[in-house]
């Protein structure tokens, strides 16, 4: 019987472990993007190609388009090399596409080498622990570092941090007795892109020696051309606003730079260039066109507009065209049934088929509540006409842009009527708030 009891105990323990592992597995599965999704997430950043993590899971790089997610509060973490991370919570509504755009701030990475090692270090007035001396991420620009020790003379230094990895900063404190001895030193001031400043100085006890240096910028120029013209320009991952090819960048700092060109419908062009003092560098970029195919079928018929331009009038035949790869707004108009509008994305060497069916009706769930969250029975109005239906109600609406509202005597509609796109591709839920009149 002892053997039987031992076997039974082992079986129970195994079942407990298996159940725990299974539960943990299902928990992980439920956390993945797209599981039980009832909303769409769109994430963009400036600059683009930043890594995006949704609830801790990697979902790719920006731009992220139409990522299925579970409605509610979700965690977004955006990171890109040489930029500060973005860590935030956003709210996603059920049945609605949620779009978020983030501006990433340039970051400089520095390391400190301080003697003595137990000195107190403050950067811009904030204490820096020794554990932070390596790979310290700070804003680009001018900073003040103060180093203090009870056995040494406190010193303050000013330095400029550029975006990305900077050379190590070395600081050595001078003991009081060393500082009291008259001595001759050589002061050297260096900054990337500037001519080095050097000057011999005498250090005397009890005196402050002031050094003023006017740094001379070392620069060259970069002439940038592209075929076709009109490409936007990025220098070291920062866009040169409102400047397009052809363009000459005067007084570019001496050193290595990355030039990135972008143009709608063309693949990005990127190259490294070394700028030398008083020399002119030239870039001739051949941009490669990215073309995709679009096919639109309108039922029963209608006129097709792409980015506001009429491309086909009153047609019921499939309309096919080739377009540069990027996003477009398609608008289809029928004189009786109304308007249907969609945002589409054309991809290089791919075909996209779009059907606009004005003969289809889509179920729209309409609810109304008062300011306290209590249900309200209100009349449903569609396209300025009464439907005869009362909330809460699922109604059938024809494909296209529709105006929808709820009214009830003695109440005001908070936010007014809504204009929605009725599309068979999405389940539509509309919630209205009515406030009792005073």
């Amino acid at each position: 019987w002892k053997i039987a009891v031992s076997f039974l105990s082992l079986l129970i323990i195994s079942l407990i472990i298996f159940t725990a592992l299974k539960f943990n597995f299902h928990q992980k599965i439920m956390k993945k993007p797209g599981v039980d999704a009832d909303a769409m997430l769109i994430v963009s950043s400036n600059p683009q190609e930043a890594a995006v993590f949704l609830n801790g899971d990697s979902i790719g790089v920006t731009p992220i388009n139409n990522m299925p997610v579970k409605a509610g509060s979700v965690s977004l973490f955006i990171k890109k090399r040489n930029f500060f991370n973005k860590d935030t919570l956003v709210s996603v509504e059920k049945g609605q596409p949620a779009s978020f755009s983030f501006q990433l701030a340039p970051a400089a990475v520095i390391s400190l080498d301080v003697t003595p090692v137990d000195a107190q270090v403050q950067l811009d007035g904030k204490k820096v622990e020794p554990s932070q001396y390596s790979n310290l991420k700070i804003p680009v620009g001018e900073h003040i570092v103060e180093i203090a020790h009870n056995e040494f003379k406190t010193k303050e230094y000013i330095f400029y941090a550029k975006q990305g990895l900077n050379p190590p900063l070395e600081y050595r404190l001078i003991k009081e007795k060393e500082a009291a001895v008259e001595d001759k030193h050589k002061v050297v001031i260096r900054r990337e892109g500037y001519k080095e400043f050097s000057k011999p100085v005498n250090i005397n006890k009890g005196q402050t020696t002031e050094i003023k240096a006017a740094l001379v910028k070392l620069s060259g120029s970069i002439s940038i051309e592209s075929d076709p013209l009109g490409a936007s320009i990025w220098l070291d991952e920062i866009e040169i606003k409102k400047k397009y090819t052809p363009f000459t960048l005067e007084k570019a700092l001496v050193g290595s730079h990355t030039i990135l060109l972008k143009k709608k419908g063309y693949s990005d062009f990127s190259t490294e260039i070394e700028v030398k003092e008083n020399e002119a560098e030239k870039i001739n970029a051949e941009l490669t066109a990215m073309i995709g195919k679009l096919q639109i079928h309108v039922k029963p018929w209608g006129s097709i507009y792409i980015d506001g331009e009429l491309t086909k009038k009153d047609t019921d035949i499939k309309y096919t065209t080739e377009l540069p790869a990027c996003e477009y707004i398609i608008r289809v108009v029928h004189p009786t049934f109304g308007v249907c509008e969609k945002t589409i994305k054309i991809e290089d060497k791919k075909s996209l088929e779009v059907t606009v069916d004005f003969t289809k009706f889509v179920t729209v769930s309409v609810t109304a509540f008062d300011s306290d969250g209590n249900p309200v029975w209100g009349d449903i109005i569609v396209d300025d006409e009464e439907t005869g239906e009362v909330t809460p109600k699922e109604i059938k609406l024809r494909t296209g842009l529709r105006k929808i509202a709820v009214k009830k005597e003695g109440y005001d509609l908070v936010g007014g009527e809504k204009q929605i796109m009725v599309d068979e591709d999405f389940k539509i839920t509309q919630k209205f708030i009515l406030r009792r009149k005073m």
Side-chain angles (χ1 to χ4, degrees):
W1 67 271
K2 290 183 179 180
I3 295 174
V5 170
S6 298
F7 177 76
L8 181 59
S9 300
L10 181 60
L11 180 61
I12 293 172
I13 292 171
S14 299
L15 286 172
I16 292 172
I17 294 173
F18 174 76
T19 303
L21 291 173
K22 184 177 180 182
F23 175 77
N24 185 53
F25 172 77
H26 282 290
Q27 286 294 96
K28 289 182 178 179
I29 289 296
M30 291 302 292
K31 290 180 181 177
K32 289 185 177 180
V35 178
D36 293 337
D38 51 11
M40 288 292 182
L41 181 67
I42 301 169
V43 182
S44 63
S45 68
N46 185 21
Q48 298 278 34
E49 297 183 354
V52 181
F53 295 81
L54 173 65
N55 294 331
D57 290 325
S58 174
I59 60 172
V61 297
T62 55
I64 301 292
N65 293 309
N66 297 327
M67 168 63 68
V69 296
K70 180 73 175 175
S73 180
V74 299
S75 167
L76 284 179
F77 183 76
I78 296 95
K79 62 182 295 188
K80 184 175 177 66
R81 185 171 176 265
N82 298 334
F83 288 85
F84 284 102
N85 301 333
K86 283 281 187 180
D87 192 357
T88 184
L89 287 174
V90 297
S91 180
V92 180
E93 292 188 13
K94 185 177 181 181
Q96 299 291 328
S99 179
F100 300 96
S101 180
F102 298 95
Q103 179 70 42
L104 303 183
V109 180
I110 66 168
S111 61
L112 301 175
D113 184 358
V114 179
T115 303
V117 294
D118 59 342
Q120 300 294 316
V121 177
Q122 285 195 339
L123 179 62
D124 298 330
K126 295 182 180 179
K127 186 178 180 180
V128 181
E129 300 294 344
S131 59
Q132 300 175 291
Y133 289 178
S134 177
N135 288 329
L136 185 62
K137 188 179 284 188
I138 61 175
V140 172
E142 194 170 80
H143 299 271
I144 299 175
V145 61
E146 182 184 275
I147 304 174
H149 192 282
N150 55 5
E151 297 179 3
F152 294 80
K153 185 176 181 179
T154 299
K155 295 291 289 183
E156 188 178 90
Y157 304 90
I158 298 176
F159 69 93
Y160 183 90
K162 67 170 186 176
Q163 185 177 10
L165 185 62
N166 288 254
L169 299 173
E170 299 181 5
Y171 300 114
R172 176 180 177 271
L173 292 184
I174 302 173
K175 286 190 176 183
E176 292 288 352
K177 61 181 181 180
E178 294 176 356
V181 179
E182 184 180 290
D183 200 356
K184 178 174 281 191
H185 298 269
K186 182 180 181 181
V187 174
V188 177
I189 301 175
R190 297 189 183 99
R191 179 176 172 182
E192 185 178 2
Y194 291 79
K195 187 175 181 179
E196 181 181 287
F197 174 88
S198 177
K199 182 179 181 179
V201 295
N202 289 322
I203 306 298
N204 299 315
K205 179 180 178 181
Q207 295 182 359
T208 299
T209 301
E210 182 178 358
I211 300 173
K212 293 183 178 180
L215 300 185
V216 179
K217 184 181 290 188
L218 299 178
S219 64
S221 66
I222 309 174
S223 175
I224 307 169
E225 297 182 1
S226 69
D227 183 16
L229 306 177
S232 55
I233 304 166
W234 271 255
L235 173 66
D236 297 330
E237 298 186 339
I238 298 176
E239 184 179 7
I240 303 176
K241 299 293 186 180
K242 298 181 181 179
K243 299 297 181 184
Y244 305 92
T245 56
F247 176 72
T248 298
L249 180 61
E250 304 287 355
K251 296 184 179 179
L253 292 182
V254 167
S256 179
H257 298 279
T258 300
I259 300 295
L260 174 64
L261 303 182
K262 292 188 176 185
K263 185 175 176 64
K264 183 178 179 180
Y266 293 82
S267 58
D268 293 350
F269 173 89
S270 180
T271 186
E272 295 283 334
I273 192 166
E274 190 73 24
V275 176
K276 298 177 182 178
E277 183 180 2
N278 298 325
E279 292 188 12
E281 305 296 332
K282 191 169 184 178
I283 295 174
N284 287 308
E286 292 284 342
L287 303 185
T288 303
M290 298 189 297
I291 302 294
K293 184 177 289 186
L294 173 64
Q295 187 178 81
I296 305 174
H297 189 196
V298 184
K299 299 179 182 179
W301 54 271
S303 296
I304 301 171
Y305 295 78
I306 299 178
D307 280 354
E309 181 179 347
L310 177 64
T311 56
K312 194 70 175 179
K313 184 175 176 62
D314 298 338
T315 181
D316 60 352
I317 301 173
K318 287 184 179 180
Y319 171 71
T320 302
T321 184
E322 289 187 339
L323 294 170
C326 63
E327 286 191 349
Y328 296 89
I329 296 176
I330 294 177
R331 186 177 178 91
V332 180
V333 180
H334 188 282
T336 304
F337 299 143
V339 176
C340 184
E341 194 170 277
K342 295 172 179 276
T343 298
I344 63 162
K345 185 176 182 180
I346 299 297
E347 297 183 359
D348 188 30
K349 298 181 180 65
K350 292 186 179 180
S351 295
L352 177 65
E353 294 187 8
V354 176
T355 299
V356 176
D357 191 351
F358 285 115
T359 66
K360 275 198 172 184
F361 286 81
V362 180
T363 300
V364 179
S365 176
V366 185
T367 58
F369 300 86
D370 63 17
S371 302
D372 297 323
N374 301 311
V376 174
W377 291 268
D379 297 322
I380 301 174
I381 312 298
V382 175
D383 293 338
D384 301 322
E385 295 183 1
E386 295 189 4
T387 63
E389 303 291 353
V390 176
T391 60
K393 184 71 176 180
E394 288 189 344
I395 61 175
K396 297 285 189 179
L397 296 181
R398 188 186 295 272
T399 295
L401 280 171
R402 299 284 173 254
K403 291 189 296 184
I404 186 167
V406 174
K407 73 174 184 178
K408 184 176 178 65
E409 188 174 350
Y411 288 80
D412 290 323
L413 180 59
V414 178
E417 68 179 10
K418 299 179 182 179
Q419 188 174 57
I420 64 172
M421 174 54 64
V422 178
D423 194 324
E424 65 271 18
D425 293 338
F426 296 97
K427 181 180 179 181
I428 302 174
T429 301
Q430 291 297 309
K431 175 182 175 181
F432 292 88
I433 304 297
L434 296 171
R435 183 189 299 118
R436 188 182 295 274
K437 293 181 179 179
M438 302 301 292

